[in-house]
């Protein structure tokens, strides 16, 4: 079973962060501004253990149209999508936009979660399911599981975990390919210097390796590697990574 990086995508206020928290126990809205406004601005990350020993990382992306650039950065290099559609709202503009972006970036598998299912009766859930079927027709999500879930009550979460674990059965990236990681954040840490985070989409990386930074073409040395806050000696494709670089600001 390969590791997975899964983008949690969908329209603003369709329960992406609440679902991520219900699945992982991690609140990915870490900024004070996000807490004040009640919406995701920066991309958030959380580790997720799935049935069968599958290691996954969830990438909780902003749903508001003003933060579409952040969303696009967060989904670069992901393996699969968890598309959320709220039972009370149904399919909305950023539902369509996020699905389009994921398709353009080559994501080819995923699961659809009808969130806030506790707010809808059977007739409404059937109506939203029909909307989803129309939305995904002809896309990579055609035929994907469509599961009603509730972060508030926990209903449907085990079925969702099982469906996500099933995505790990597909072949992973070729480990012999050169290392490549799409960077979604860069920042400085006191005492360590420059850190960049992203999804490793090809090859592998280890402490002491030299990497090239594009588009500038500069080189830097890997001083330290972390996965979800834990130091590791090396990481391969399919993992989230935080890379501490020496020799570059």
């Amino acid at each position: 079973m390969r590791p997975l990086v899964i983008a949690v995508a969908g329209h603003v206020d369709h329960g992406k962060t609440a679902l991520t928290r219900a699945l992982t126990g991690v609140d990915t809205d870490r900024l004070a501004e996000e807490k004040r406004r009640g919406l995701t601005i920066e991309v958030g990350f959380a580790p997720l253990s799935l049935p069968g020993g599958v290691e996954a990382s969830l990438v909780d992306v902003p749903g508001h149209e003003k933060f579409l650039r952040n969303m696009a950065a967060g989904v670069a290099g992901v393996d699969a999508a968890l598309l959320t559609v709220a039972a009370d709202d149904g399919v909305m503009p950023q539902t369509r936009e996020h699905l389009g972006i994921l398709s353009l970036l080559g994501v080819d598998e995923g699961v659809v979660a009808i969130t806030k299912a506790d707010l809808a009766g059977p007739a409404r859930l059937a109506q939203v399911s029909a909307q989803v079927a129309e939305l995904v027709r002809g896309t990579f999500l055609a035929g994907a599981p469509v599961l009603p879930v509730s972060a508030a009550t926990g209903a449907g979460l085990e079925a969702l975990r099982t469906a996500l674990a099933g995505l790990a059965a597909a072949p992973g990236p070729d480990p012999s390919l050169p290392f490549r990681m799409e960077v979604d954040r860069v920042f400085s840490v006191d005492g360590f210097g420059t850190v960049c985070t992203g999804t490793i989409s090809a090859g592998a990386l280890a402490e002491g390796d030299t990497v090239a930074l594009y588009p500038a073409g500069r080189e830097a040395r890997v001083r330290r590697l972390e996965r979800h806050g834990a130091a590791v000696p090396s990481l391969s494709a399919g993992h989230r990574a935080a890379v501490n670089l020496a020799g570059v600001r």
Side-chain angles (χ1 to χ4, degrees):
M1 290 289 196
R2 61 172 175 149
L4 291 170
V5 180
I6 304 168
V8 186
H11 193 77
V12 63
D13 200 31
H14 274 204
K16 295 182 296 299
T17 300
L19 181 58
T20 299
R21 184 169 55 246
L23 288 169
T24 68
V26 175
D27 184 358
T28 51
D29 278 352
R30 61 195 184 280
L31 303 179
E33 182 72 1
E34 292 175 316
K35 301 291 188 185
R36 186 182 69 80
R37 298 176 64 178
L39 58 82
T40 299
I41 298 172
E42 295 286 352
V43 179
F45 312 97
L48 174 63
S49 296
L50 293 171
V54 176
E55 292 184 4
S57 298
L58 295 186
V59 182
D60 175 22
V61 301
H64 197 286
E65 61 180 338
K66 290 185 177 179
F67 307 118
L68 206 58
R69 177 179 177 178
N70 293 359
M71 179 272 173
V75 300
V78 301
D79 302 300
L82 172 53
L83 184 68
T84 61
V85 182
D88 52 350
D89 275 350
V91 172
M92 297 290 280
Q94 271 63 62
T95 317
R96 300 180 186 279
E97 282 194 339
H98 283 202
L99 179 57
I101 290 169
L102 290 162
S103 299
L104 286 170
L105 290 174
V107 179
D108 59 6
E109 58 184 341
V111 175
V112 181
I114 299 180
T115 57
K116 306 184 184 182
D118 55 301
L119 302 181
R124 177 57 181 169
L125 288 174
Q127 185 180 38
V128 175
S129 295
Q131 290 180 9
V132 169
E134 178 64 27
L135 171 73
V136 302
R137 183 177 295 129
T139 75
F140 71 92
L141 286 177
V146 179
L147 304 171
V149 300
S150 170
T153 68
L157 293 185
E158 286 309 311
L160 178 57
R161 287 189 177 96
T162 300
L164 292 173
L167 302 176
D174 182 351
S176 67
L177 293 173
F179 167 75
R180 185 175 73 249
M181 184 180 87
E182 286 81 2
V183 174
D184 45 50
R185 287 192 301 158
V186 181
F187 51 91
S188 293
V189 177
D190 289 345
F192 289 91
T194 301
V195 175
C196 59
T197 72
T199 298
I200 301 177
S201 56
L205 186 67
E207 287 184 357
D209 284 353
T210 298
V211 294
L213 311 176
Y214 288 95
R218 298 177 60 190
E219 289 191 349
R221 181 176 58 83
V222 177
R223 176 183 291 160
R224 179 182 171 94
L225 277 175
E226 289 188 1
R227 179 181 182 270
H228 293 298
V232 292
S234 63
L235 284 170
S236 58
H239 288 285
R240 289 288 308 173
V243 186
N244 179 205
L245 297 174
V248 63
R249 286 174 177 248

